[in-house]
Amino acid sequence: MIEVKDLMFKYPKAKEKTLKELNFKIDKGEIFGFLGPSGAGKSTTQKILIGILKDYLGSVKILGKEIINWNTDFYEKIGVSFELPNLYHKLTALENLDFVKSFYSGKKEDSKKLLEMVGLEKNADVKVSKYSKGMKMRLNFVRAFIHNPDIVFFDEPTSGLDPLNAKNIKNIIMEKKHQGKTIFLTTHNMTVADELCDRVAFIVDGEIKLIDSPKKLKIEHGKRNIKVEYIDKNKFQEKDFALKGIGYNDEYIKLLREKEIKTIHTQEATLEDIFVQTTGRKLL
Amino acid sequence: MIRTLKSIKGDIFLQFKYGFYLVYTIVTIMYIFLLNFLPEEALIVIVPFIIFSDPSVLGFFFISGLVLLEKGEGVLEYLIITPLQVKEYIISKLVSLTFLSLITSIIIEFFSFGKNINYPIFLVGITLTSFLFILIGFIAVSRFPTINKYLLSSVGYIIVLCLPLIGYFGIFKSRLFYLFPTQASLLLISGAFKGIDTWQLIYSILYLLVWIAATFKIANISFYKYIILKKGDN
């Protein structure tokens, strides 16, 4: 669906290239996470992929066609939800959706159903200026689906949302993936990326340092240890054991039998740990 | 074409919601009220002037207001990633605001002057003047993110564009005024009231069309440069 080869980009007055030879490929039905700290080149990459910046070097093919060769039909195929909500404040939620819907020609979603998906159906006829930040975010999110696009770009889709609504947004993204939509997710929230993405790319200083699935990364970069927390002499204690041959580790088995165990965890690395390990950078 | 029509419909709806129609109803009533106090011989000079100022002020400042509102709300950033093309966006603004201009101008003329005038020239004059000012207003506002920064430069544009009024009111006559597209506007609009020479009619329409074509092109470029690439916003 998306194929990027040797993508380079330099802003006219900048000294250095913002993007240095990016290469990646995203398949249909995949959720691809683009992770990196601010200023890493995430937004520039997204701007190229959604056809705003055209003076790039290298090749960017979307749905098999080089992006500069697409006409405005391109926007019938992709949906975008920006990080900051961009809505008509004087219009109601329903009017906002219907207004932009009129620009599309293909099969379109029912505006009311979209509002239901994000729990805004009761506020459908309320002016957006009266909406809270979270409500605006949800409307902004769901608008990306209005024309039933094949590829959807999300920039920090859960930022500013309470846990319940954030969970709902994540469920919708998963549901859309199962319907065959391809999703490009830009974020610096590692938990969201871990939960949703089939693969993630770590981008720092305009370079992709690594692309892999979160699960595989966590196993590869984990310590292959088990940490046991237990009570001994009325005190919390902890001990690490190698996962290899754990069933024959007498000390471990003895501990399980004789002490009051509080927790047992395998020591997988978090995506955040792996990011710091591979890039030498913190995310924020 | 269908997309442009839908956008025009949407724009008129938005302008209604933003209160443009309300503001203009009040302004129109005020104009009619004030013009009623003028003696008839003054009307032939003042009414064309009011009618000229109407599409120009409406066009210039309302397009600026709209673009700044859309920038402030971020919707311009969103419109870029819909199938709506830049030229369709601009045409939609031209048609929707000119529609409002035509309605108010006809109402003002009808209730103040009220006599038979040359309506085809009148309507062509207002339409072309409105297009010109909307396009120049768009070019003027596109580079500015907020109203404060924009206002100062807008005064400059308006002063230059309104220079031919000096000739219109007979303060100072010069052929140089024919270089200004607004001279053509004034000739057409006042010509609808008191007649116009054929050469002036041809000059006015052609000269305005040339200006409209050029400013339409520049407006498209400005949109790309200042709104899509966001140069100048920072």
Side-chain angles (χ1 to χ4, degrees), chain A residues 10 13 26 47 54 59 93 119 143 156 158 182 197-198 200 225 271:
Chain A
K10 186 175 163 295
K13 282 180 188 162
I26 306 172
K47 276 184 189 160
K54 295 192 171 83
S59 157
R143 186 181 52 183
E156 306 289 357
T158 58
T182 306
C197 297
D198 297 303
V200 290
N225 276 358
L271 213 49

Side-chain angles (χ1 to χ4, degrees), chain A residues 29 39 46 54 63 71 97 102-103 107 124 155 162 194 203 209 216 234 269 280-281 283:
Chain A
Q46 176 165 322
K54 295 192 171 83
L63 294 156
N71 54 18
L97 293 181
S102 68
F103 301 146
K107 184 178 157 245
D155 196 349
D162 60 86
D194 191 4
I203 176 166
K209 302 285 184 187
K216 218 169 131 196
N234 288 325
R281 291 291 187 85
L283 264 172

Side-chain angles (χ1 to χ4, degrees), chain A residues 2-3 11 16 55 69 80 82 86 103 126 136 149 156 161 165 177 193 201 206 233 236-237 242 248 258 263 268 281:
Chain A
I2 301 179
E3 205 179 339
Y11 284 100
E16 271 193 61
D55 306 330
N69 296 332
V80 185
F82 292 100
N86 29 30
F103 301 146
V126 174
K136 284 182 198 160
E156 306 289 357
L161 293 184
N165 276 308
K177 167 198 160 65
K233 293 168 191 158
F236 248 105
Q237 307 278 353
Y248 301 99
E258 293 177 1
T263 67
E268 290 148 355
R281 291 291 187 85

Side-chain angles (χ1 to χ4, degrees), chain B residues 102-114:
Chain B
L102 283 169
I103 295 177
T104 54
S105 298
I106 291 167
I107 293 174
I108 293 172
E109 191 281 328
F110 186 76
F111 285 103
S112 58
F113 197 73

Side-chain angles (χ1 to χ4, degrees), chain A residues 221-233:
Chain A
H221 288 75
K223 285 184 194 144
R224 310 278 298 146
N225 276 358
I226 286 182
K227 188 187 278 296
V228 183
E229 288 183 317
Y230 59 97
I231 304 277
D232 189 24
K233 293 168 191 158

Side-chain angles (χ1 to χ4, degrees), chain B residues 123-187:
Chain B
L123 298 180
V124 167
I126 293 161
T127 305
L128 296 181
T129 305
S130 175
F131 280 12
L132 174 79
F133 273 88
I134 294 167
L135 290 166
I136 294 179
F138 184 84
I139 295 164
V141 77
S142 57
R143 70 184 68 202
F144 296 104
T146 57
I147 191 142
N148 293 339
K149 290 181 182 169
Y150 159 73
L151 273 180
L152 196 67
S153 82
S154 72
V155 176
Y157 279 96
I158 286 292
I159 289 176
V160 173
L161 285 167
C162 288
L163 280 178
L165 281 172
I166 300 172
Y168 178 76
F169 285 114
I171 302 165
F172 173 72
K173 296 262 178 201
S174 168
R175 291 235 168 117
L176 285 175
F177 288 136
Y178 279 84
L179 290 172
F180 294 79
T182 35
Q183 172 76 0
S185 294
L186 284 165
L187 283 173

